[in-house]
Amino acid sequence: MYNVGMRGLRKYCWVAFVASALLPWNATAVNQDELTARLFVQNKNTNIVERMLVQTLQSIKEGRLQQALDYVDQLLTISPNFALAHLIHGDLLSAKARILNGFGDASVADNGRIQDFKEEAEIRIRNYFDRSRGLTQPNMLVQLSGKQSHVLFVDTAKSRLYVYEKNADDNLKYIADYYVTIGKNGIGKKDQGDKRTPIGVYFASKKLNRPLPDLYGDAAYPLNYPNEIDSFERKTGSGIWIHGTPHDTYSRPPRASDGCVVLSNPDVKALQEILQIGNTPVVIGVNFQWVNPQSLKTQQSLKADLKSEIEQWRKDWVSQDTDAYLSHYASDFFYSDGSLSKWSSYKRQIQAAKPKVAVNLNDVSMFTYPNANRQMVVVDFEQEFIGPALRNVMKKRQYWVQESGQWKILYEGSA
């Protein structure tokens, strides 16, 4: 009976790990106990449920059937609504008595659901054994304002949300990462109801306080989709949120939402102190280029150049040199009322008398716009304008792009 079970177990293991390609070692080549222990210490920031899932699957790979059952039993005690764990538990019990024909052979007849479970397991395992986790960050120009303490990066290719914190040197420090579900039809949202997750830079508002259907779990934080670029590109739809899962569901498959970014309820709870502040930047992209912080010299240079251009734009505005001021705007510039030609006419009219003004910029933030067809950075700041008859303080947003090797303003408006 046991030998038959072990043959079934090995076949199950082969399916679960896709011929073991997801694992960073050969099962017979090293001391498994030592290596596994080291990796679990290395990934101490990982959600405990995910760690125990990997421990279960690793025990299967090593042929430790009873240990795997013990781990998955503990896992289900912690998260009794974790469907993937229930599937593995059923397979393990069946593997004691018969040869399994594939992942999920013991309990689920729906091939679509089995594929969903396999994809979730593979994505979670790939991330867990990514040895660069916590040591790298996206190769992007990023600067948090004085009022922003964290930035969230969602890499849709990895079904993963990464949390970074601003340290004392204004650099980014890795804090944690979480498995997420994105749209049923993938990424690149364009139309209402297309069930795709948008790509771009967004800002999460505070938790919705009104009662919501159980679908959204313990909390929901709306993103500002469509943003200014989305609206200009005539993208439609709304209601893109970061939210939890129904209370009878620990996690959903990698592609299962209507376009929202979905986390387990415990993971949403772990993020609540960050998200409840409001105005939390959320950068959603695909296949981020992950680099060591020491490799960000190019981004630092771009940031310095952009800061210089922003300051020169401010000075040219204060000087009321309209030609110099307008030279900072891209040829395809747009704003809420029109294009560059209308903007230029308006500015020439009000600056003709050369009024004496002062302009101050505070709390500047910068975020590279992911997967754009040209280098683009979202810049937010608090703008104080003092003129002969007006003093105004407002939150401002600009999109800067590279045009002929120079930074230019593509969009400008209130934030």
Side-chain angles (χ1 to χ4, degrees):
M1 178 72 72
Y2 184 77
N3 289 336
V4 172
M6 285 307 300
R7 289 200 300 272
L9 183 60
R10 291 191 184 99
K11 186 166 185 179
Y12 166 66
C13 179
W14 185 89
V15 175
F17 283 94
V18 189
S20 297
L22 300 177
L23 294 174
W25 63 78
N26 181 289
T28 60
V30 297
N31 183 324
Q32 287 301 314
D33 290 331
E34 179 182 343
L35 181 54
T36 301
R38 188 167 76 245
L39 283 167
F40 282 109
V41 170
Q42 172 184 314
N43 293 317
K44 61 183 182 296
N45 288 341
T46 302
N47 177 302
I48 183 62
V49 170
E50 191 161 74
R51 293 179 70 200
M52 293 186 71
L53 172 67
V54 176
Q55 283 178 314
T56 300
L57 295 175
Q58 173 59 21
S59 295
I60 293 171
K61 184 176 187 297
E62 295 168 5
R64 300 179 183 183
L65 176 58
Q66 189 56 54
Q67 185 181 67
L69 278 168
D70 291 343
Y71 279 140
V72 79
D73 283 340
Q74 294 175 47
L75 174 52
L76 288 171
T77 299
I78 296 172
S79 295
N81 56 357
F82 192 5
L84 174 59
H86 279 288
L87 180 74
I88 295 169
H89 185 263
D91 276 352
L92 284 168
L93 292 176
S94 294
K96 286 185 173 183
R98 66 185 180 90
I99 295 176
L100 300 181
N101 294 314
F103 187 72
D105 181 61
S107 54
V108 181
D110 185 338
N111 288 333
R113 289 201 69 196
I114 292 298
Q115 185 59 37
D116 287 341
F117 286 130
K118 286 175 64 177
E119 289 179 1
E120 180 178 349
E122 290 173 19
I123 284 172
R124 288 181 180 276
I125 295 164
R126 284 186 189 279
N127 176 76
Y128 189 89
F129 290 114
D130 178 0
R131 294 184 176 180
S132 65
R133 283 179 61 239
L135 303 177
T136 62
Q137 63 190 64
N139 187 21
M140 292 180 168
L141 188 163
V142 176
Q143 175 178 304
L144 298 178
S145 76
K147 297 177 181 178
Q148 295 168 329
S149 59
H150 295 79
V151 56
L152 310 182
F153 296 100
V154 178
D155 192 330
T156 57
K158 294 185 175 183
S159 287
R160 209 78 190 173
L161 183 151
Y162 300 83
V163 183
Y164 283 81
E165 180 181 46
K166 178 173 60 176
N167 62 22
D169 299 324
D170 284 337
N171 294 317
L172 296 181
K173 176 186 176 183
Y174 165 82
I175 299 299
D177 58 272
Y178 304 96
Y179 168 82
V180 298
T181 293
I182 64 167
K184 291 182 178 73
N185 294 324
I187 58 173
K189 184 170 185 60
K190 293 182 180 179
D191 301 309
Q192 174 77 34
D194 64 7
K195 301 186 187 301
R196 293 180 180 273
T197 298
I199 297 299
V201 175
Y202 300 96
F203 297 88
S205 59
K206 294 181 180 180
K207 176 183 174 182
L208 290 173
N209 290 321
R210 67 177 186 268
L212 294 170
D214 189 50
L215 173 68
Y216 302 104
D218 285 346
Y221 301 86
L223 303 182
N224 66 317
Y225 174 89
N227 63 24
E228 297 81 5
I229 296 295
D230 295 326
S231 296
F232 181 71
E233 294 177 349
R234 301 185 183 280
K235 296 178 181 178
T236 59
S238 60
I240 301 298
W241 302 346
I242 294 176
H243 67 78
T245 56
H247 288 91
D248 64 353
T249 304
Y250 176 75
S251 62
R252 295 168 67 183
R255 306 289 182 268
S257 81
D258 287 341
C260 294
V261 176
V262 181
L263 298 92
S264 71
N265 288 323
D267 292 345
V268 167
K269 185 176 181 180
L271 290 174
Q272 67 182 357
E273 289 188 11
I274 296 171
L275 291 169
Q276 193 53 30
I277 295 172
N279 197 39
T280 304
V282 181
V283 183
I284 306 177
V286 54
N287 283 320
F288 288 141
Q289 180 187 3
W290 296 89
V291 298
N292 294 323
Q294 295 80 6
S295 301
L296 291 171
K297 292 181 180 179
T298 299
Q299 299 296 346
Q300 296 299 329
S301 178
L302 285 171
K303 183 191 294 187
D305 290 344
L306 180 52
K307 284 183 175 181
S308 177
E309 286 296 325
I310 293 170
E311 174 60 13
Q312 191 58 51
W313 165 79
R314 186 196 69 81
K315 288 179 177 179
D316 289 339
W317 185 2
V318 171
S319 73
Q320 299 292 286
D321 184 339
T322 306
D323 287 337
Y325 170 79
L326 292 174
S327 71
H328 295 283
Y329 291 83
S331 57
D332 53 348
F333 169 82
F334 68 96
Y335 71 117
S336 58
D337 287 339
S339 63
L340 180 61
S341 59
K342 188 172 182 179
W343 178 267
S344 297
S345 297
Y346 168 68
K347 288 297 182 179
R348 289 188 185 281
Q349 181 181 352
I350 64 173
Q351 291 184 0
K354 302 292 183 184
K356 186 176 181 179
V357 302
V359 179
N360 299 308
L361 310 180
N362 298 296
D363 274 330
V364 180
S365 68
M366 303 179 182
F367 304 97
T368 294
Y369 206 89
N371 303 99
N373 56 16
R374 55 178 163 170
Q375 182 82 263
M376 181 160 63
V377 178
V378 185
V379 179
D380 280 13
F381 49 83
E382 185 179 85
Q383 174 184 290
E384 180 187 32
F385 176 87
I386 304 172
L390 175 69
R391 182 185 183 277
N392 173 266
V393 177
M394 67 180 296
K395 186 73 174 178
K396 197 80 165 281
R397 177 165 298 148
Q398 295 176 331
Y399 289 76
W400 288 74
V401 294
Q402 288 271 303
E403 184 175 271
S404 300
Q406 291 187 306
W407 286 111
K408 302 285 185 180
I409 303 169
L410 175 66
Y411 166 86
E412 182 173 325
S414 60

